[in-house]
PDB file of all heavy atoms in Angstrom:
ATOM      1  N   TYR A 307      25.456  16.667  11.058  1.00 98.00           N
ATOM      2  CA  TYR A 307      25.838  15.311  10.648  1.00 98.00           C
ATOM      3  C   TYR A 307      25.299  14.296  11.650  1.00 98.00           C
ATOM      4  O   TYR A 307      25.479  14.472  12.889  1.00 98.00           O
ATOM      5  CB  TYR A 307      27.341  15.175  10.495  1.00 98.00           C
ATOM      6  CG  TYR A 307      27.853  15.533   9.101  1.00 98.00           C
ATOM      7  CD1 TYR A 307      28.405  16.786   8.866  1.00 98.00           C
ATOM      8  CD2 TYR A 307      27.745  14.662   8.052  1.00 98.00           C
ATOM      9  CE1 TYR A 307      28.834  17.150   7.613  1.00 98.00           C
ATOM     10  CE2 TYR A 307      28.185  14.984   6.784  1.00 98.00           C
ATOM     11  CZ  TYR A 307      28.758  16.231   6.573  1.00 98.00           C
ATOM     12  OH  TYR A 307      29.176  16.578   5.279  1.00 98.00           O
ATOM     13  N   ASP A 308      24.629  13.252  11.110  1.00 97.00           N
ATOM     14  CA  ASP A 308      24.184  12.223  12.038  1.00 97.00           C
ATOM     15  C   ASP A 308      24.151  10.842  11.260  1.00 97.00           C
ATOM     16  O   ASP A 308      24.246  10.844  10.015  1.00 97.00           O
ATOM     17  CB  ASP A 308      22.742  12.536  12.513  1.00 97.00           C
ATOM     18  CG  ASP A 308      22.303  11.693  13.710  1.00 97.00           C
ATOM     19  OD1 ASP A 308      23.138  10.931  14.246  1.00 97.00           O
ATOM     20  OD2 ASP A 308      21.120  11.786  14.123  1.00 97.00           O
ATOM     21  N   PHE A 309      23.978   9.824  12.024  1.00 95.00           N
ATOM     22  CA  PHE A 309      23.850   8.474  11.447  1.00 95.00           C
ATOM     23  C   PHE A 309      22.439   8.313  10.915  1.00 95.00           C
ATOM     24  O   PHE A 309      21.457   8.885  11.485  1.00 95.00           O
ATOM     25  CB  PHE A 309      24.106   7.392  12.525  1.00 95.00           C
ATOM     26  CG  PHE A 309      25.535   7.369  12.934  1.00 95.00           C
ATOM     27  CD1 PHE A 309      25.891   7.956  14.147  1.00 95.00           C
ATOM     28  CD2 PHE A 309      26.483   6.676  12.171  1.00 95.00           C
ATOM     29  CE1 PHE A 309      27.223   7.922  14.558  1.00 95.00           C
ATOM     30  CE2 PHE A 309      27.801   6.642  12.620  1.00 95.00           C
ATOM     31  CZ  PHE A 309      28.170   7.261  13.817  1.00 95.00           C
ATOM     32  N   GLY A 310      22.295   7.464   9.861  1.00 91.00           N
ATOM     33  CA  GLY A 310      20.947   7.215   9.334  1.00 91.00           C
ATOM     34  C   GLY A 310      20.207   6.192  10.177  1.00 91.00           C
ATOM     35  O   GLY A 310      19.029   5.987  10.049  1.00 91.00           O
ATOM     36  N   ASP A 311      20.951   5.494  11.082  1.00 88.00           N
ATOM     37  CA  ASP A 311      20.354   4.397  11.856  1.00 88.00           C
ATOM     38  C   ASP A 311      20.730   4.438  13.280  1.00 88.00           C
ATOM     39  O   ASP A 311      21.716   5.089  13.720  1.00 88.00           O
ATOM     40  CB  ASP A 311      20.852   3.083  11.240  1.00 88.00           C
ATOM     41  CG  ASP A 311      22.257   2.797  11.524  1.00 88.00           C
ATOM     42  OD1 ASP A 311      23.117   3.771  11.440  1.00 88.00           O
ATOM     43  OD2 ASP A 311      22.625   1.664  11.877  1.00 88.00           O
ATOM     44  N   GLU A 312      19.994   3.741  14.074  1.00 83.00           N
ATOM     45  CA  GLU A 312      20.155   3.583  15.504  1.00 83.00           C
ATOM     46  C   GLU A 312      21.492   3.031  15.929  1.00 83.00           C
ATOM     47  O   GLU A 312      22.139   3.521  16.838  1.00 83.00           O
ATOM     48  CB  GLU A 312      19.019   2.669  15.973  1.00 83.00           C
ATOM     49  CG  GLU A 312      19.240   1.840  17.212  1.00 83.00           C
ATOM     50  CD  GLU A 312      19.018   2.668  18.456  1.00 83.00           C
ATOM     51  OE1 GLU A 312      18.353   3.724  18.392  1.00 83.00           O
ATOM     52  OE2 GLU A 312      19.535   2.259  19.526  1.00 83.00           O
ATOM     53  N   ALA A 313      21.964   2.042  15.220  1.00 83.00           N
ATOM     54  CA  ALA A 313      23.188   1.323  15.652  1.00 83.00           C
ATOM     55  C   ALA A 313      24.447   1.983  15.085  1.00 83.00           C
ATOM     56  O   ALA A 313      25.537   1.429  15.259  1.00 83.00           O
ATOM     57  CB  ALA A 313      23.111  -0.131  15.274  1.00 83.00           C
ATOM     58  N   MET A 314      24.332   3.073  14.440  1.00 90.00           N
ATOM     59  CA  MET A 314      25.489   3.878  13.943  1.00 90.00           C
ATOM     60  C   MET A 314      26.317   3.065  12.942  1.00 90.00           C
ATOM     61  O   MET A 314      27.527   3.047  13.023  1.00 90.00           O
ATOM     62  CB  MET A 314      26.334   4.364  15.153  1.00 90.00           C
ATOM     63  CG  MET A 314      25.488   5.178  16.102  1.00 90.00           C
ATOM     64  SD  MET A 314      26.442   5.804  17.517  1.00 90.00           S
ATOM     65  CE  MET A 314      26.570   4.363  18.543  1.00 90.00           C
ATOM     66  N   LEU A 315      25.625   2.355  12.083  1.00 85.00           N
ATOM     67  CA  LEU A 315      26.334   1.545  11.053  1.00 85.00           C
ATOM     68  C   LEU A 315      26.483   2.301   9.741  1.00 85.00           C
ATOM     69  O   LEU A 315      27.355   2.007   8.951  1.00 85.00           O
ATOM     70  CB  LEU A 315      25.585   0.238  10.806  1.00 85.00           C
ATOM     71  CG  LEU A 315      25.584  -0.764  11.945  1.00 85.00           C
ATOM     72  CD1 LEU A 315      24.656  -1.980  11.595  1.00 85.00           C
ATOM     73  CD2 LEU A 315      26.981  -1.285  12.221  1.00 85.00           C
ATOM     74  N   THR A 316      25.587   3.273   9.524  1.00 88.00           N
ATOM     75  CA  THR A 316      25.629   3.958   8.224  1.00 88.00           C
ATOM     76  C   THR A 316      26.666   5.046   8.253  1.00 88.00           C
ATOM     77  O   THR A 316      27.207   5.424   9.261  1.00 88.00           O
ATOM     78  CB  THR A 316      24.253   4.643   7.938  1.00 88.00           C
ATOM     79  OG1 THR A 316      24.095   5.741   8.854  1.00 88.00           O
ATOM     80  CG2 THR A 316      23.092   3.701   8.060  1.00 88.00           C
ATOM     81  N   PRO A 317      27.033   5.590   7.075  1.00 92.00           N
ATOM     82  CA  PRO A 317      27.839   6.763   7.008  1.00 92.00           C
ATOM     83  C   PRO A 317      27.134   7.940   7.700  1.00 92.00           C
ATOM     84  O   PRO A 317      25.925   7.850   7.922  1.00 92.00           O
ATOM     85  CB  PRO A 317      28.020   7.017   5.505  1.00 92.00           C
ATOM     86  CG  PRO A 317      27.689   5.743   4.870  1.00 92.00           C
ATOM     87  CD  PRO A 317      26.674   5.044   5.717  1.00 92.00           C
ATOM     88  N   LEU A 318      27.904   9.022   7.874  1.00 96.00           N
ATOM     89  CA  LEU A 318      27.296  10.234   8.473  1.00 96.00           C
ATOM     90  C   LEU A 318      26.731  11.081   7.391  1.00 96.00           C
ATOM     91  O   LEU A 318      27.388  11.355   6.390  1.00 96.00           O
ATOM     92  CB  LEU A 318      28.339  10.978   9.248  1.00 96.00           C
ATOM     93  CG  LEU A 318      28.868  10.257  10.474  1.00 96.00           C
ATOM     94  CD1 LEU A 318      30.075  11.011  11.098  1.00 96.00           C
ATOM     95  CD2 LEU A 318      27.779  10.133  11.540  1.00 96.00           C
TER      96      LEU A 318
END
Side-chain angles (χ1 to χ4, degrees):
Chain A
Y307 272 100
D308 195 6
F309 292 99
D311 70 320
E312 152 79 19
M314 303 180 283
L315 292 174
T316 69
L318 293 171

